[in-house]
């Protein structure tokens, strides 16, 4: 991948915080520059992802700002430490791409944006469900082509259906409220059930029961060792025939091979993805003139009942502004005080 400095640094005072922003896109530059009018950081933007080959670009920066598909494993973190970087600032909520233990061991901070707009992701999840069910994407193309036939567009009433929610955190809760408005019954599984939600009537069940009862399963839990490939052949076998699975959380929650088999057999009736397990090589880039080498991804796209968006669930004006504001505030706070309310620390093993 080519690595280009797209914007020159903005030099202000002598001791301005120096931050290298990786995986830069136009929307990042536009939004960061607006917020930086107040913060006066010295910013350098790099189009390249952060991974082991691009570590040298971080030499001399106080902080690196990274996104969901940057790879900050132990080797990269060691390299950043040697390059003098003191802080990794994630401009996203998930931190599964960062070796938090290694950062802690080397005294490097990791901060994130825990919530920039749970509404954006919950609303996109709902959009995927509606579109998969009522096939708006197909209907739009048909009508533009002068094809007004309805065959193949048959949907189902959401009213009365059972929705299985995996993860009842910020996004899961908002999604639950939205889908409840359609007259759906919501059941949920969470490793750490929320007492308050339970008191308000959230029906927690175990995973097997959730798979058995749900017409639509929506994933809103983080990617961890435990949740990696949680939607595998066994999980799918336990689901209802024709189930709809929607993943707007993290790609590796779903075992792509297993879900392809499920789709081929008709066991999985609908699949909605905003994330994909090998998305690093694909998403956020215009590859329209490129031969896609990922055969599994190409296979997924051949199914008429699969709808994929390229990690855009978060992408609303409100979320982008929150991401920028929180990132700058996190960096300033951490580099000033050595801590931040949005710092990510290793989980203490019991
Ligand atoms: P959150 O931390 O508020 O909630 C996560 C929930 O998952 C918590 O209730 C937690 O107890 C639960 N959980 C943890 N481990 C679990 C397990 N093993 N099984 C079941 N539940 C478990 O997070 P959130 O803000 O609601 O975000 C959820 C996920 O959405 C994030 O982890 C992130 O990966 C993803 N996300 C995607 C996008 C996007 O653009 N597609 C944007 C933001 C976040």
């Amino acid at each position: 991948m080519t690595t280009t400095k797209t914007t020159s640094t903005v030099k202000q005072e002598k001791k301005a915080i120096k931050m290298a922003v990786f995986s830069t896109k136009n929307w990042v530059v536009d939004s960061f520059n607006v917020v930086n009018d107040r913060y006066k950081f010295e910013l350098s933007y790099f189009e390249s992802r952060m991974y082991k080959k691009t570590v040298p670009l971080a030499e001399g920066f106080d902080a690196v700002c990274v996104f969901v598909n940057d790879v900050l494993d132990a080797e990269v973190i060691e390299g950043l430490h040697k390059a003098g970087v003191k802080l990794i600032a994630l401009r996203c909520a998930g931190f599964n791409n960062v070796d938090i233990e290694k950062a802690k061991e080397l005294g490097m901070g990791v901060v994130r944006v825990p919530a920039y707009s749970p509404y954006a992701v919950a609303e996109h999840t709902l959009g995927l469900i509606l579109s998969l069910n009522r096939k708006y994407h197909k209907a739009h193309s048909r009508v533009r082509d002068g094809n007004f036939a309805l065959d193949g567009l048959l949907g189902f009433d959401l009213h009365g259906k059972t929705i299985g929610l995996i993860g009842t955190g910020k996004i899961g809760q908002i999604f639950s409220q939205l889908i409840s408005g359609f007259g759906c019954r919501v059941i949920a599984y969470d490793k750490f059930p929320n007492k308050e939600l339970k008191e308000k009537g959230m029906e927690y069940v175990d995973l097997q029961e959730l798979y058995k009862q749900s017409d639509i399963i929506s994933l809103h839990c983080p990617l961890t060792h435990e949740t990696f490939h949680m939607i595998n052949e066994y999980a799918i076998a336990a689901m209802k025939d024709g189930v709809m699975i929607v993943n707007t959380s993290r790609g590796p929650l779903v075992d792509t091979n297993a879900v392809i088999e499920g789709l081929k057999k008709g066991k999985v009736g609908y699949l909605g993805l905003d994330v994909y397990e090998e998305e690093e090589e694909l998403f956020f880039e215009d590859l329209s003139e490129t031969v896609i080498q990922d055969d599994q991804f190409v296979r997924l796209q051949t199914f008429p009942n699969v709808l994929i968006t390229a990690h855009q669930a978060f992408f609303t004006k409100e979320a982008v502004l929150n991401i920028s504001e929180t990132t700058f505030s996190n960096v300033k706070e951490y580099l000033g005080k050595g801590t931040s309310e949005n710092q990510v620390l290793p989980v203490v093993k019991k």
Side-chain angles (χ1 to χ4, degrees):
M1 182 185 283
T2 52
T3 305
T4 335
K5 250 183 186 180
T6 55
T7 302
S8 61
T9 53
V10 184
K11 292 219 160 122
Q12 296 292 335
E13 293 150 12
K14 264 187 190 163
K15 286 208 168 171
I17 290 170
K18 292 177 80 178
M19 182 160 83
V21 184
F22 286 82
S23 297
T24 296
K25 299 287 170 207
N26 289 341
W27 63 268
V28 178
V29 177
D30 292 347
S31 170
F32 271 30
N33 283 349
V34 169
V35 175
N36 196 38
D37 274 350
R38 277 185 281 117
Y39 281 88
K40 316 285 185 207
F41 288 3
E42 219 178 289
L43 296 177
S44 290
Y45 293 110
F46 297 100
E47 285 176 4
S48 171
R49 280 199 291 136
M50 163 60 71
Y51 66 120
K52 67 178 178 187
K53 285 196 179 153
T54 55
V55 169
L57 294 172
E59 186 78 42
F61 286 93
D62 302 304
V64 291
C65 178
V66 296
F67 199 43
V68 287
N69 289 333
D70 293 292
V71 181
L72 292 108
D73 56 16
E75 190 184 352
V76 167
I77 290 179
E78 270 167 11
L80 291 176
H81 180 62
K82 280 190 196 133
V85 173
K86 298 179 224 31
L87 177 66
I88 296 164
L90 288 151
R91 53 179 188 277
C92 54
F95 49 87
N96 51 280
N97 52 338
V98 183
D99 189 328
I100 305 294
E101 270 90 10
K102 180 50 85 179
K104 171 97 176 31
E105 185 191 313
L106 297 176
M108 273 174 80
V110 181
V111 289
R112 67 175 182 133
V113 184
Y116 31 92
S117 173
Y119 301 100
V121 183
E123 288 167 13
H124 189 76
T125 307
L126 188 61
L128 283 175
I129 291 172
L130 289 171
S131 210
L132 271 169
N133 174 17
R134 306 302 298 270
K135 305 168 182 64
Y136 299 132
H137 48 306
K138 290 185 190 177
H140 174 67
S141 314
R142 275 195 195 185
V143 170
R144 282 172 66 122
D145 263 0
N147 175 358
F148 306 109
L150 295 183
D151 287 340
L153 298 183
L154 189 67
F156 59 84
D157 285 3
L158 279 175
H159 182 88
K161 297 295 181 292
T162 298
I163 314 298
L165 199 59
I166 302 184
T168 54
K170 292 175 284 298
I171 296 170
Q173 285 177 43
I174 292 165
F175 172 69
S176 168
Q177 286 164 15
L178 296 179
I179 200 85
S180 297
F182 284 79
C184 295
R185 169 184 172 230
V186 177
I187 56 174
Y189 168 78
D190 195 302
K191 192 179 172 197
F192 310 101
N194 180 321
K195 213 173 141 216
E196 221 174 285
L197 279 184
K198 218 172 173 176
E199 281 163 11
K200 284 185 190 158
M202 176 64 82
E203 194 183 337
Y204 281 103
V205 295
D206 65 33
L207 265 183
Q208 288 310 307
E209 201 52 37
L210 183 141
Y211 293 150
K212 193 170 138 195
Q213 291 194 34
S214 303
D215 300 294
I216 298 173
I217 295 174
S218 193
L219 304 175
H220 300 287
C221 60
L223 173 62
T224 63
H225 293 301
E226 265 173 301
T227 60
F228 176 81
H229 280 189
M230 70 185 301
I231 305 301
N232 54 26
E233 60 174 305
Y234 304 106
I236 292 170
M239 293 175 192
K240 274 190 177 178
D241 289 346
V243 64
M244 181 188 290
I245 302 172
V246 182
N247 185 10
T248 55
S249 191
R250 282 293 180 265
L253 298 181
V254 174
D255 176 346
T256 309
N257 265 333
V259 90
I260 287 174
E261 283 312 307
L263 284 158
K264 281 163 75 177
K265 288 183 195 140
K267 177 79 184 175
V268 177
Y270 310 80
L271 177 69
L273 299 179
D274 184 56
V275 287
Y276 168 63
E277 59 174 324
E278 303 296 337
E279 70 178 47
E280 290 88 350
E281 300 304 322
L282 301 170
F283 288 5
F284 307 128
E285 303 300 329
D286 178 357
L287 302 179
S288 51
E289 297 300 319
T290 310
V291 176
I292 305 282
Q293 299 298 324
D294 182 335
D295 291 346
Q296 275 190 327
F297 185 77
V298 176
R299 180 69 180 102
L300 273 180
Q301 297 201 85
T302 66
F303 293 101
N305 46 356
V306 172
L307 182 57
I308 305 175
T309 52
H311 211 137
Q312 71 169 80
F314 74 96
F315 201 46
T316 63
K317 286 184 209 167
E318 292 80 359
V320 167
L321 183 64
N322 280 340
I323 287 172
S324 310
E325 292 278 4
T326 311
T327 300
F328 279 79
S329 145
N330 284 347
V331 171
K332 190 174 172 199
E333 187 186 19
Y334 183 87
L335 292 177
K337 297 199 297 198
T339 56
S340 159
E341 62 167 333
N342 291 326
Q343 194 170 349
V344 187
L345 292 166
V347 177
V348 182
K349 291 184 181 107
K350 286 177 192 163

